[in-house]
Coordinates of all heavy atoms in Angstrom, one line a residue:
A1 N 204.2 106.1 44.3 CA 204.6 107.1 45.3 C 204.6 108.5 44.7 O 205.0 108.7 43.6 CB 205.9 106.7 45.9
P2 N 204.3 109.5 45.5 CA 204.4 110.9 45.0 C 205.8 111.3 44.7 O 206.7 110.8 45.3 CB 203.7 111.7 46.1 CG 203.9 110.9 47.3 CD 203.8 109.5 46.9
L3 N 206.0 112.2 43.8 CA 207.3 112.7 43.5 C 207.8 113.6 44.7 O 207.0 114.4 45.2 CB 207.3 113.6 42.3 CG 207.2 112.9 40.9 CD1 207.2 113.9 39.8 CD2 208.3 111.9 40.7
V4 N 209.0 113.4 45.2 CA 209.5 114.2 46.3 C 210.3 115.3 45.6 O 211.3 115.0 44.9 CB 210.4 113.3 47.2 CG1 211.0 114.2 48.3 CG2 209.6 112.2 47.8
Q5 N 209.9 116.5 45.9 CA 210.6 117.7 45.4 C 211.9 117.9 46.2 O 211.8 118.1 47.4 CB 209.7 118.9 45.4 CG 210.2 120.1 44.6 CD 209.3 121.2 44.6 OE1 208.9 121.8 45.7 NE2 208.8 121.7 43.5
R6 N 213.0 117.9 45.5 CA 214.3 118.2 46.2 C 214.4 119.6 46.6 O 213.8 120.5 45.9 CB 215.4 117.8 45.3 CG 215.5 116.3 45.0 CD 216.9 115.8 44.8 NE 217.8 116.7 44.0 CZ 219.1 116.5 44.0 NH1 219.7 115.5 44.7 NH2 219.9 117.3 43.3
P7 N 215.1 119.9 47.6 CA 215.3 121.3 48.0 C 216.1 122.0 46.8 O 216.7 121.4 46.0 CB 216.2 121.3 49.2 CG 216.1 119.9 49.7 CD 215.8 119.0 48.6
V8 N 216.0 123.3 46.8 CA 216.7 124.1 45.8 C 217.6 125.2 46.4 O 217.3 125.7 47.5 CB 215.7 124.8 44.8 CG1 215.0 123.8 44.0 CG2 214.8 125.8 45.5
V9 N 218.7 125.4 45.8 CA 219.5 126.6 46.1 C 219.2 127.6 45.0 O 219.3 127.4 43.8 CB 221.0 126.3 46.1 CG1 221.9 127.5 46.2 CG2 221.4 125.3 47.2
V10 N 218.7 128.8 45.5 CA 218.3 129.8 44.6 C 219.4 130.9 44.4 O 219.9 131.5 45.3 CB 217.0 130.5 45.2 CG1 216.6 131.6 44.2 CG2 215.9 129.5 45.3
A11 N 219.7 131.1 43.1 CA 220.7 132.1 42.8 C 220.0 133.3 42.1 O 219.2 133.1 41.2 CB 221.7 131.5 41.8
G12 N 220.2 134.4 42.7 CA 219.5 135.6 42.1 C 220.5 136.4 41.2 O 221.6 136.7 41.6
V13 N 220.1 136.6 39.9 CA 221.0 137.3 39.0 C 220.3 138.5 38.4 O 219.1 138.5 38.2 CB 221.5 136.3 37.9 CG1 222.3 135.2 38.4 CG2 220.3 135.8 37.1
S14 N 221.1 139.5 38.0 CA 220.6 140.6 37.3 C 221.2 140.7 36.0 O 222.0 139.7 35.6 CB 220.9 141.9 38.1 OG 222.3 142.1 38.2
G15 N 221.0 141.7 35.2 CA 221.6 141.8 33.9 C 223.0 142.4 33.9 O 223.3 143.3 33.2
S16 N 223.8 141.9 34.8 CA 225.2 142.3 35.0 C 226.1 141.1 34.9 O 225.7 140.0 35.0 CB 225.4 143.1 36.3 OG 225.5 142.2 37.4
S17 N 227.4 141.4 34.8 CA 228.4 140.3 34.6 C 228.6 139.6 36.0 O 229.3 138.6 36.0 CB 229.7 140.9 34.1 OG 230.2 141.8 35.0
W18 N 228.0 140.0 37.0 CA 228.2 139.3 38.3 C 227.6 138.0 38.4 O 227.9 137.1 39.2 CB 227.7 140.2 39.5 CG 228.3 141.5 39.6 CD1 228.9 142.3 38.7 CD2 228.5 142.2 40.9 NE1 229.4 143.4 39.2 CE2 229.2 143.4 40.6 CE3 228.1 142.0 42.2 CZ2 229.5 144.4 41.5 CZ3 228.4 142.9 43.1 CH2 229.1 144.1 42.8
G19 N 226.6 137.8 37.5 CA 225.7 136.6 37.6 C 226.5 135.3 37.4 O 226.1 134.3 38.1
E20 N 227.5 135.2 36.6 CA 228.3 134.0 36.4 C 228.8 133.4 37.7 O 228.7 132.3 38.0 CB 229.4 134.2 35.4 CG 230.1 132.9 35.1 CD 231.2 133.0 34.1 OE1 231.6 134.2 33.8 OE2 231.7 132.0 33.6
T21 N 229.5 134.3 38.5 CA 230.0 133.9 39.8 C 229.0 133.4 40.7 O 229.1 132.4 41.4 CB 230.8 135.0 40.4 OG1 231.8 135.5 39.5 CG2 231.5 134.6 41.7
V22 N 227.8 134.1 40.7 CA 226.7 133.7 41.6 C 226.2 132.3 41.2 O 226.0 131.5 42.1 CB 225.6 134.8 41.5 CG1 224.3 134.3 42.2 CG2 226.0 136.1 42.1
I23 N 226.0 132.1 39.9 CA 225.5 130.8 39.5 C 226.5 129.7 39.8 O 226.1 128.6 40.3 CB 225.2 130.9 37.9 CG1 224.1 131.8 37.7 CG2 224.9 129.5 37.4 CD1 223.8 132.1 36.2
L24 N 227.7 129.9 39.5 CA 228.7 128.8 39.8 C 228.8 128.5 41.2 O 228.9 127.3 41.6 CB 230.1 129.2 39.2 CG 230.2 129.4 37.7 CD1 231.6 129.9 37.3 CD2 229.9 128.0 37.0
H25 N 228.8 129.5 42.1 CA 228.8 129.3 43.5 C 227.6 128.6 44.0 O 227.7 127.6 44.8 CB 229.0 130.6 44.3 CG 229.1 130.5 45.8 ND1 230.3 130.2 46.4 CD2 228.1 130.5 46.8 CE1 230.1 130.0 47.7 NE2 228.8 130.3 47.9
A26 N 226.4 129.0 43.5 CA 225.2 128.3 43.9 C 225.1 126.9 43.4 O 224.6 126.0 44.1 CB 224.0 129.1 43.3
S27 N 225.7 126.6 42.2 CA 225.8 125.2 41.7 C 226.6 124.3 42.6 O 226.2 123.2 43.0 CB 226.3 125.2 40.3 OG 226.5 123.9 39.8
E28 N 227.8 124.8 43.1 CA 228.6 124.1 44.0 C 227.9 123.9 45.3 O 228.0 122.8 45.9 CB 229.9 124.8 44.2 CG 230.8 124.9 43.0 CD 232.0 125.8 43.2 OE1 232.2 126.3 44.3 OE2 232.8 125.9 42.3
L29 N 227.2 124.9 45.8 CA 226.5 124.8 47.1 C 225.4 123.7 46.9 O 225.1 122.9 47.9 CB 225.9 126.1 47.5 CG 225.3 126.3 48.9 CD1 226.3 125.9 49.9 CD2 224.7 127.7 49.0
A30 N 224.7 123.7 45.8 CA 223.6 122.8 45.6 C 224.1 121.4 45.6 O 223.5 120.4 46.2 CB 222.9 123.1 44.3
A31 N 225.3 121.1 44.9 CA 225.8 119.8 44.9 C 226.2 119.3 46.3 O 226.0 118.2 46.7 CB 227.1 119.8 44.0
D32 N 226.8 120.3 47.1 CA 227.2 119.9 48.4 C 226.0 119.6 49.3 O 226.2 118.8 50.3 CB 228.0 121.1 49.1 CG 229.4 121.3 48.4 OD1 229.8 120.4 47.7 OD2 229.9 122.4 48.6

């Protein structure tokens, strides 16, 4: 059977300290 690609939650980050919060929120959303 072909591999089924799971959906992704995409987190956009720049070179600033805001990225950690974005990544953690996106990770929780992906798990949900």
